[in-house]
């Protein structure tokens, strides 16, 4: 029997296609670069130990004086934790101005909770304020909020500021406080008026009065950013990022 003839060649299967390319993995944001200035080495040691466990924060530099901080080649960092009392003849406002002029934002890390001290530090340019007796979560929240461009005052400090009757804290009426809270959060004047159930011109008059009262005690309030900072400093608004606030 003759051998069976070979069958037709097998038809080629469907052309293989390359698998669609996978989207690139999102790159993680770089850690927040942090430095700390305190004249007590044990405080710096403790900060280093606590912040070492926080993935998105790198404490790169510790110093006992502002001069040593500014001279270090690691500078500028993103955020500096600054103790207010660095020894005799400490000039808080000058220290804050020198550091912010070099680029970093400042979170004050101090034992003091005196409302006037808090306001003076914020007025000089500090973006956040944390007491040393508060927990690490409070400090981490302040660092993150400040690095993101916001500010930070804890709820406890905000309450002390709100109930303070120092001469440099203007006395606002209930309506003025309400208008300030709404407007300083970024709402347009028409929305402020609608929320308050008043006319736009009346809402504007409330804000004008608030600005006048702050200027009268020597605290700038000419812009909406100024008003936001005054509202945080005086406890009328929570800090950005504090306790779920955006």
């Amino acid at each position: 029997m003759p051998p069976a003839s070979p069958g037709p060649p097998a038809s080629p299967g469907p052309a293989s296609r390359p698998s669609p390319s996978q989207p690139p993995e999102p790159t993680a944001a770089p850690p927040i670069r942090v430095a700390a200035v305190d004249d007590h080495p044990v405080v710096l040691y403790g900060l280093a130990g606590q912040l070492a466990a926080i993935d998105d924060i790198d404490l790169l530099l510790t110093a006992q004086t502002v001069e040593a901080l500014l001279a270090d080649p690691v500078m500028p960092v993103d955020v500096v934790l600054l103790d207010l009392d660095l020894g005799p003849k400490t000039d808080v406002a000058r220290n804050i101005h020198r550091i912010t002029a070099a680029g970093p934002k400042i979170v004050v890390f101090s034992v003091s909770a005196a409302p006037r001290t808090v306001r003076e530090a914020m007025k000089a340019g500090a973006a956040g304020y944390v007491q040393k007796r508060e927990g690490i979560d409070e400090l981490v929240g302040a660092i993150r909020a400040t690095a993101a461009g916001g500010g930070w005052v804890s709820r406890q400090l905000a309450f002390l500021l709100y109930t303070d009757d120092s001469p440099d804290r203007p006395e606002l009426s209930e309506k003025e406080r309400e208008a300030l809270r709404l407007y300083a959060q970024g709402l347009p004047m028409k929305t402020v008026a609608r929320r308050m159930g008043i006319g736009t011109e009346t809402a504007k008059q409330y804000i004008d009065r608030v600005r006048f009262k702050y200027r009268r005690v020597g605290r700038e309030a000419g812009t909406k950013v100024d008003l936001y900072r005054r509202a945080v400093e005086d406890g009328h608004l929570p800090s950005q990022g504090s306790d779920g606030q955006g």
Side-chain angles (χ1 to χ4, degrees):
M1 174 181 290
S5 59
S11 58
S16 60
R17 298 177 182 175
S19 61
S21 60
Q22 298 295 322
E25 291 290 331
T27 56
I32 302 167
R33 295 161 46 87
V34 176
V37 184
D38 197 296
D39 60 343
H40 294 91
V42 68
V43 173
L44 297 175
Y45 181 81
L47 279 173
Q50 290 188 301
L51 294 178
I54 311 300
D55 291 338
D56 61 336
I57 294 175
D58 276 351
L59 181 61
L60 301 177
L61 167 62
T62 61
Q64 294 185 44
T65 65
V66 172
E67 289 73 18
L69 171 84
L70 296 175
D72 197 287
V74 168
M75 286 286 284
V77 294
D78 301 314
V79 177
V80 171
L81 307 178
L82 176 66
D83 183 22
L84 293 183
D85 185 4
L86 296 176
K89 299 183 180 180
T90 297
D91 187 329
V92 173
R94 183 169 181 266
N95 284 344
I96 291 174
H97 292 158
R98 291 173 69 196
I99 294 171
T100 54
K105 301 179 178 71
I106 291 179
V107 172
V108 171
F109 189 52
S110 173
V111 296
S112 176
R116 186 178 185 88
T117 301
V118 178
R119 280 198 296 272
E120 286 178 351
M122 303 290 273
K123 183 178 179 180
Y129 198 108
V130 177
Q131 286 183 269
K132 287 183 177 178
R133 67 184 186 83
E134 294 181 290
I136 186 64
D137 290 344
E138 195 76 35
L139 182 61
V140 168
I143 293 171
R144 288 171 176 161
T146 299
W152 185 278
V153 173
S154 69
R155 283 189 177 273
Q156 183 175 359
L157 277 177
F159 176 77
L160 293 174
L161 293 168
Y162 184 76
T163 55
D164 178 45
D165 58 357
S166 298
D168 65 341
R169 184 181 189 273
E171 184 176 347
L172 305 180
S173 71
E174 182 179 346
K175 290 293 187 183
E176 288 166 351
R177 289 195 298 269
E178 184 180 0
L180 171 61
R181 283 192 293 265
L182 294 171
Y183 186 68
Q185 290 180 82
L187 297 179
M189 196 68 73
K190 288 183 178 179
T191 305
V192 173
R194 187 170 66 251
R195 293 273 187 95
M196 296 180 66
I198 57 178
T200 303
E201 187 58 35
T202 303
K204 184 178 182 300
Q205 289 175 7
Y206 283 134
I207 294 300
D208 287 344
R209 289 181 205 166
V210 171
R211 285 192 164 115
F212 171 75
K213 289 181 177 182
Y214 273 109
R215 283 196 299 268
R216 189 169 57 186
V217 296
R219 299 170 67 191
E220 185 55 53
T223 68
K224 187 173 283 192
V225 173
D226 291 331
L227 285 173
Y228 172 78
R229 289 181 66 86
R230 302 297 85 82
V232 170
E233 291 165 5
D234 287 355
H236 299 303
L237 281 177
S239 305
Q240 183 177 5
S242 174
D243 294 301
Q245 298 293 326

Short mmCIF file of all heavy atoms in Angstrom, two decimals, residues 110-141:
data_model
loop_
_atom_site.label_atom_id
_atom_site.label_comp_id
_atom_site.label_asym_id
_atom_site.label_seq_id
_atom_site.Cartn_x
_atom_site.Cartn_y
_atom_site.Cartn_z
N SER A 110 7.78 74.17 70.87
CA SER A 110 8.11 74.92 72.08
C SER A 110 7.32 74.43 73.28
O SER A 110 6.25 73.82 73.13
CB SER A 110 7.81 76.41 71.84
OG SER A 110 7.94 77.17 73.01
N VAL A 111 7.83 74.73 74.47
CA VAL A 111 7.09 74.41 75.69
C VAL A 111 5.99 75.44 75.95
O VAL A 111 5.03 75.18 76.68
CB VAL A 111 8.02 74.36 76.92
CG1 VAL A 111 9.02 73.23 76.78
CG2 VAL A 111 8.73 75.69 77.13
N SER A 112 6.11 76.62 75.36
CA SER A 112 5.18 77.71 75.66
C SER A 112 3.85 77.54 74.95
O SER A 112 3.80 77.17 73.78
CB SER A 112 5.79 79.06 75.25
OG SER A 112 4.85 80.10 75.45
N ALA A 113 2.77 77.84 75.69
CA ALA A 113 1.43 77.86 75.10
C ALA A 113 0.80 79.23 75.28
O ALA A 113 -0.42 79.38 75.12
CB ALA A 113 0.55 76.79 75.72
N ALA A 114 1.60 80.23 75.63
CA ALA A 114 1.07 81.58 75.82
C ALA A 114 0.53 82.11 74.50
O ALA A 114 1.26 82.13 73.50
CB ALA A 114 2.15 82.51 76.35
N PRO A 115 -0.73 82.53 74.45
CA PRO A 115 -1.31 82.99 73.18
C PRO A 115 -0.49 84.08 72.50
O PRO A 115 -0.33 84.06 71.29
CB PRO A 115 -2.70 83.49 73.60
CG PRO A 115 -3.05 82.67 74.79
CD PRO A 115 -1.75 82.49 75.53
N ARG A 116 0.02 85.02 73.29
CA ARG A 116 0.81 86.10 72.68
C ARG A 116 2.06 85.54 72.01
O ARG A 116 2.45 85.98 70.92
CB ARG A 116 1.17 87.14 73.73
CG ARG A 116 1.86 88.37 73.14
CD ARG A 116 2.17 89.41 74.22
NE ARG A 116 2.73 90.62 73.64
CZ ARG A 116 2.00 91.64 73.21
NH1 ARG A 116 0.68 91.57 73.30
NH2 ARG A 116 2.57 92.71 72.68
N THR A 117 2.70 84.56 72.66
CA THR A 117 3.90 83.95 72.08
C THR A 117 3.57 83.24 70.77
O THR A 117 4.30 83.36 69.78
CB THR A 117 4.51 82.94 73.07
OG1 THR A 117 4.84 83.61 74.27
CG2 THR A 117 5.75 82.29 72.49
N VAL A 118 2.45 82.52 70.75
CA VAL A 118 2.04 81.82 69.53
C VAL A 118 1.81 82.82 68.41
O VAL A 118 2.30 82.66 67.29
CB VAL A 118 0.76 80.99 69.79
CG1 VAL A 118 0.31 80.32 68.50
CG2 VAL A 118 1.01 79.95 70.87
N ARG A 119 1.06 83.88 68.71
CA ARG A 119 0.74 84.86 67.66
C ARG A 119 1.98 85.58 67.16
O ARG A 119 2.12 85.85 65.97
CB ARG A 119 -0.30 85.86 68.18
CG ARG A 119 -1.72 85.32 68.15
CD ARG A 119 -2.73 86.45 68.25
NE ARG A 119 -2.62 87.13 69.53
CZ ARG A 119 -3.28 86.75 70.62
NH1 ARG A 119 -4.08 85.69 70.57
NH2 ARG A 119 -3.15 87.40 71.74
N GLU A 120 2.89 85.90 68.07
CA GLU A 120 4.11 86.59 67.64
C GLU A 120 4.94 85.70 66.72
O GLU A 120 5.53 86.18 65.74
CB GLU A 120 4.92 87.02 68.86
CG GLU A 120 4.30 88.21 69.59
CD GLU A 120 5.09 88.59 70.83
OE1 GLU A 120 6.01 87.82 71.22
OE2 GLU A 120 4.78 89.65 71.42
N ALA A 121 5.00 84.41 67.04
CA ALA A 121 5.76 83.50 66.17
C ALA A 121 5.11 83.37 64.80
O ALA A 121 5.79 83.39 63.77
CB ALA A 121 5.86 82.12 66.84
N MET A 122 3.78 83.26 64.77
CA MET A 122 3.08 83.15 63.49
C MET A 122 3.19 84.46 62.71
O MET A 122 3.36 84.46 61.48
CB MET A 122 1.61 82.81 63.73
CG MET A 122 1.38 81.54 64.53
SD MET A 122 1.80 80.02 63.67
CE MET A 122 0.28 79.69 62.81
N LYS A 123 3.11 85.57 63.42
CA LYS A 123 3.24 86.87 62.75
C LYS A 123 4.63 87.03 62.13
O LYS A 123 4.78 87.62 61.06
CB LYS A 123 2.99 87.99 63.77
CG LYS A 123 3.03 89.39 63.18
CD LYS A 123 2.72 90.44 64.24
CE LYS A 123 2.79 91.85 63.67
NZ LYS A 123 2.49 92.88 64.71
N ALA A 124 5.65 86.47 62.78
CA ALA A 124 7.02 86.57 62.26
C ALA A 124 7.24 85.68 61.04
O ALA A 124 8.22 85.85 60.31
CB ALA A 124 8.02 86.20 63.34
N GLY A 125 6.33 84.71 60.81
CA GLY A 125 6.47 83.88 59.62
C GLY A 125 6.41 82.39 59.84
O GLY A 125 6.50 81.62 58.88
N ALA A 126 6.26 81.94 61.09
CA ALA A 126 6.11 80.50 61.34
C ALA A 126 4.78 80.03 60.76
O ALA A 126 3.77 80.73 60.85
CB ALA A 126 6.18 80.20 62.83
N ALA A 127 4.78 78.85 60.18
CA ALA A 127 3.55 78.31 59.58
C ALA A 127 2.79 77.42 60.54
O ALA A 127 1.58 77.21 60.37
CB ALA A 127 3.89 77.53 58.31
N GLY A 128 3.48 76.87 61.53
CA GLY A 128 2.83 75.96 62.47
C GLY A 128 3.39 76.14 63.86
O GLY A 128 4.46 76.72 64.05
N TYR A 129 2.64 75.62 64.83
CA TYR A 129 3.07 75.74 66.23
C TYR A 129 2.61 74.49 66.98
O TYR A 129 1.42 74.17 67.00
CB TYR A 129 2.44 76.99 66.87
CG TYR A 129 3.12 77.45 68.14
CD1 TYR A 129 3.90 78.60 68.15
CD2 TYR A 129 2.97 76.75 69.33
CE1 TYR A 129 4.51 79.04 69.32
CE2 TYR A 129 3.58 77.17 70.50
CZ TYR A 129 4.35 78.32 70.49
OH TYR A 129 4.97 78.75 71.64
N VAL A 130 3.57 73.80 67.59
CA VAL A 130 3.28 72.58 68.35
C VAL A 130 3.97 72.67 69.71
O VAL A 130 5.15 73.04 69.78
CB VAL A 130 3.78 71.32 67.60
CG1 VAL A 130 3.55 70.06 68.43
CG2 VAL A 130 3.10 71.19 66.25
N GLN A 131 3.22 72.34 70.77
CA GLN A 131 3.84 72.29 72.09
C GLN A 131 4.63 70.99 72.24
O GLN A 131 4.24 69.94 71.73
CB GLN A 131 2.77 72.33 73.18
CG GLN A 131 2.13 73.68 73.39
CD GLN A 131 1.14 73.60 74.54
OE1 GLN A 131 -0.02 73.34 74.34
NE2 GLN A 131 1.65 73.81 75.74
N LYS A 132 5.71 71.06 72.99
CA LYS A 132 6.55 69.88 73.18
C LYS A 132 5.83 68.77 73.95
O LYS A 132 6.19 67.60 73.82
CB LYS A 132 7.84 70.27 73.90
CG LYS A 132 8.81 71.03 73.01
CD LYS A 132 10.11 71.34 73.72
CE LYS A 132 11.08 72.03 72.78
NZ LYS A 132 12.34 72.40 73.44
N ARG A 133 4.84 69.12 74.73
CA ARG A 133 4.14 68.09 75.50
C ARG A 133 3.07 67.38 74.68
O ARG A 133 2.48 66.41 75.15
CB ARG A 133 3.52 68.69 76.76
CG ARG A 133 2.38 69.65 76.51
CD ARG A 133 1.92 70.25 77.84
NE ARG A 133 0.74 71.09 77.70
CZ ARG A 133 -0.50 70.64 77.67
NH1 ARG A 133 -0.72 69.34 77.76
NH2 ARG A 133 -1.52 71.45 77.55
N GLU A 134 2.83 67.83 73.45
CA GLU A 134 1.84 67.16 72.60
C GLU A 134 2.47 65.92 71.96
O GLU A 134 3.69 65.79 71.88
CB GLU A 134 1.31 68.13 71.55
CG GLU A 134 0.51 69.26 72.20
CD GLU A 134 -0.06 70.24 71.20
OE1 GLU A 134 0.73 70.99 70.59
OE2 GLU A 134 -1.29 70.27 71.03
N GLY A 135 1.63 65.03 71.46
CA GLY A 135 2.10 63.76 70.96
C GLY A 135 2.78 63.85 69.60
O GLY A 135 2.69 64.87 68.90
N ILE A 136 3.44 62.76 69.22
CA ILE A 136 4.15 62.71 67.95
C ILE A 136 3.19 62.85 66.77
O ILE A 136 3.54 63.43 65.74
CB ILE A 136 4.98 61.41 67.82
CG1 ILE A 136 5.85 61.42 66.56
CG2 ILE A 136 4.07 60.19 67.84
CD1 ILE A 136 6.90 62.50 66.54
N ASP A 137 1.95 62.38 66.92
CA ASP A 137 0.98 62.52 65.84
C ASP A 137 0.71 63.98 65.54
O ASP A 137 0.52 64.36 64.38
CB ASP A 137 -0.33 61.81 66.19
CG ASP A 137 -0.20 60.30 66.19
OD1 ASP A 137 0.81 59.80 65.64
OD2 ASP A 137 -1.08 59.61 66.74
N GLU A 138 0.65 64.79 66.59
CA GLU A 138 0.44 66.23 66.40
C GLU A 138 1.60 66.85 65.63
O GLU A 138 1.41 67.65 64.71
CB GLU A 138 0.29 66.91 67.76
CG GLU A 138 -0.29 68.30 67.70
CD GLU A 138 -1.79 68.32 67.45
OE1 GLU A 138 -2.50 67.44 67.94
OE2 GLU A 138 -2.24 69.23 66.74
N LEU A 139 2.81 66.47 66.00
CA LEU A 139 4.00 67.02 65.33
C LEU A 139 4.06 66.57 63.88
O LEU A 139 4.35 67.37 62.98
CB LEU A 139 5.26 66.59 66.08
CG LEU A 139 6.58 67.12 65.51
CD1 LEU A 139 6.61 68.64 65.54
CD2 LEU A 139 7.76 66.56 66.30
N VAL A 140 3.79 65.30 63.63
CA VAL A 140 3.80 64.79 62.25
C VAL A 140 2.74 65.49 61.42
O VAL A 140 2.98 65.87 60.26
CB VAL A 140 3.59 63.26 62.25
CG1 VAL A 140 3.31 62.75 60.84
CG2 VAL A 140 4.81 62.56 62.83
N GLY A 141 1.55 65.69 61.98
CA GLY A 141 0.51 66.41 61.26
C GLY A 141 0.93 67.82 60.92
O GLY A 141 0.67 68.32 59.81
#
